[in-house]
Amino acid sequence: RAMVGVNILHILLAVPLVFGLVGLPRLGVVGAALASAVSEGVGAAWLLWQAKRRGLFGEGHEAWNLKELPRILHVGLPAVGERLITHGMQLVFARIVISFGVAAYAAHQVGLNIESLSFLPGLGFAKAATALVGQRLGARDPEGARLSARQANLLAMGIMTAFGASFALFPRAWVVLFTSDPGVLAYSIPLLMVMGLLQPPLAIAMGTSGALRGAGETHAVLGAAIVGGWLVRLPLAYAGGVVWNLGMTVVWTTMILDWAVRCAIVSWRFRRLQLADVRL
C-alpha cells in the first residue's frame, strides 16, 4: 500500500513540477528529483507511523537494546556490502558496454527495462522467501522454512523462465516496443536472447538468496556477489570485449556466467545450512 501511494503521489507531483503546470514553476529534471524525494519521504513517514501503531519499536527503554546491536550488524553489514558490491560492479560493467558506443549502451538500457518485467516478479518472490523463512525459523519450524524457500523458488523460476522464453524467441517484438532505431535494434536482439537464457539461473539465485537472508546468512550472498560479479563477469567481459574485441554479445554473455556462479554458490550454501540450528 505504501509503494502504490508513493508512485501515485510521485506522478501527481512530477508532471506539474517537470512541465510547469497548475501554476508551478517548470523545473525539468530537478522537478522530477523533488517529486521523488517528497513522495518517498511521505511513504517512509507513513510506514514509520504504521510500525509505531503496531508496537514494533517498543516503548521507552524497550526501543533500544545494545545487546541486539552485534546481531543486527552481523546480518546487516554484509547485506549492505552486497548491495554496494553489486551496484559497483554494474557501474563498471556499464562502463565496458559504453566503450562500444552510444547505440550499444542504449540497447543495454532497453534490455534492462524489458528484463525488469521478468526481474521484478522474481524480486517479489525473493522478498517473500526472506519473510517466510524468517517467520518459520522464528516459529522453530525448519521444514516449513525449507518448504517456503522451495516454493518461492519454483514460482520465481516458472514466471521468469516463461518471460525468458519469450525474450529468446521473439526478441524483435520486445525491442520495437521501445525503439525502432536500426543501430539499437542490431545490438538489442542478441542482448534479448542472452537475457532469455539468463532468467532460470537468475530466478534461482534471487529466490535462494532471499531465503538465505531470511535465515541470517547474508555473508553467503555477499560472497556470491563478489565471486560472480567481480571475479567472473567483469574480468571476462573486459577480456572478451576490450582486450580480444570479440563483440558485445560476448560481453553480455558474461552475465549468464555471473548468475550461474551465484546460483551455484547460494544453492550449495542453502542445502548445507542446518536450519534447525539457526536462531534468529
Side-chain angles (χ1 to χ4, degrees), residues 44-201:
W46 187 83
L47 285 170
L48 287 170
W49 177 66
Q50 290 292 327
K52 180 69 172 175
R53 279 183 61 217
R54 289 162 170 75
L56 297 182
F57 294 144
E59 298 293 339
H61 68 279
E62 296 178 358
W64 296 98
N65 184 346
L66 292 179
K67 293 180 180 178
E68 293 298 314
L69 186 59
R71 296 174 64 191
I72 292 171
L73 294 176
H74 179 76
V75 173
L77 288 179
V80 173
E82 184 257 328
R83 288 290 83 201
L84 292 174
I85 286 289
T86 297
H87 286 297
M89 178 274 295
Q90 289 169 344
L91 286 173
V92 177
F93 189 72
R95 179 66 184 84
I96 295 173
V97 172
I98 206 169
S99 69
F100 283 80
V102 175
Y105 187 69
H108 187 68
Q109 293 303 116
V110 167
L112 292 177
N113 285 330
I114 294 172
E115 193 211 13
S116 69
L117 297 172
S118 172
F119 178 89
L120 292 177
L123 182 61
F125 287 116
K127 290 182 179 294
T130 299
L132 292 172
V133 168
Q135 286 180 338
R136 290 295 89 212
L137 291 178
R140 302 291 186 265
D141 179 12
E143 285 307 311
R146 201 170 291 279
L147 179 61
S148 295
R150 186 181 303 119
Q151 290 183 337
N153 259 330
L154 288 173
L155 288 166
M157 189 166 66
I159 292 175
M160 293 178 68
T161 300
F163 271 107
S166 71
F167 297 160
L169 293 173
F170 312 108
R172 179 177 288 274
W174 281 104
V175 176
V176 295
L177 296 175
F178 289 80
T179 181
S180 58
D181 183 275
V184 177
L185 277 170
Y187 280 112
S188 297
I189 290 174
L191 170 59
L192 260 289
M193 298 179 71
V194 169
M195 290 290 193
L197 297 174
L198 171 64
Q199 296 311 300

Side-chain angles (χ1 to χ4, degrees), residues 218-230:
T218 51
H219 293 79
V221 183
L222 171 60
I226 293 172
V227 175
W230 287 89

